[in-house]
Amino acid sequence: PSWEMNGTKYMNDYLNIQKGGSFTTEQFKKYNVQCVLIQRRTSDLAQYLEARRWKIAVTEQNSVLYIAP
C-alpha cells in the first residue's frame, strides 16, 4: 500500500479519492474513470457519485457498481 513512483504515493491518492471532492474530480478526469466499484453505498465516495448523478448498475450484497452519467 505504500507504493510510490516518480514522487507520487498512490495509496495517498486512493485515500483522497475515497473522500470525494475536487481531488476525486481531477483524478477521474485524468484517468477517464467511467465506472467505480465500491463496497458500501453509505461511503463518502458513494455520496459524491450519487450527487453527480452516477447511476447504480449493479448491487450485490455489500458492493455497488456505479456508471458515469
Side-chain angles (χ1 to χ4, degrees):
S2 60
W3 182 52
E4 183 177 344
M5 187 167 132
N6 298 326
T8 300
K9 294 182 179 181
Y10 289 97
M11 189 63 180
N12 290 345
D13 287 355
Y14 169 78
L15 294 172
N16 286 326
I17 287 168
Q18 292 296 311
K19 297 175 187 174
S22 61
F23 183 79
T24 304
T25 301
E26 293 168 12
Q27 295 300 297
F28 280 14
K29 285 181 184 177
K30 179 178 180 179
Y31 294 106
N32 193 29
V33 174
Q34 297 296 309
C35 63
V36 175
L37 178 64
I38 58 177
Q39 284 187 326
R40 295 178 312 224
R41 191 170 176 196
T42 58
S43 69
D44 291 339
L45 182 55
Q47 292 174 10
Y48 168 87
L49 296 172
E50 290 184 18
R52 282 152 186 80
R53 302 179 194 261
W54 284 55
K55 303 295 180 202
I56 295 175
V58 179
T59 54
E60 278 292 325
Q61 295 177 352
N62 293 328
S63 299
V64 183
L65 176 64
Y66 287 92
I67 304 295

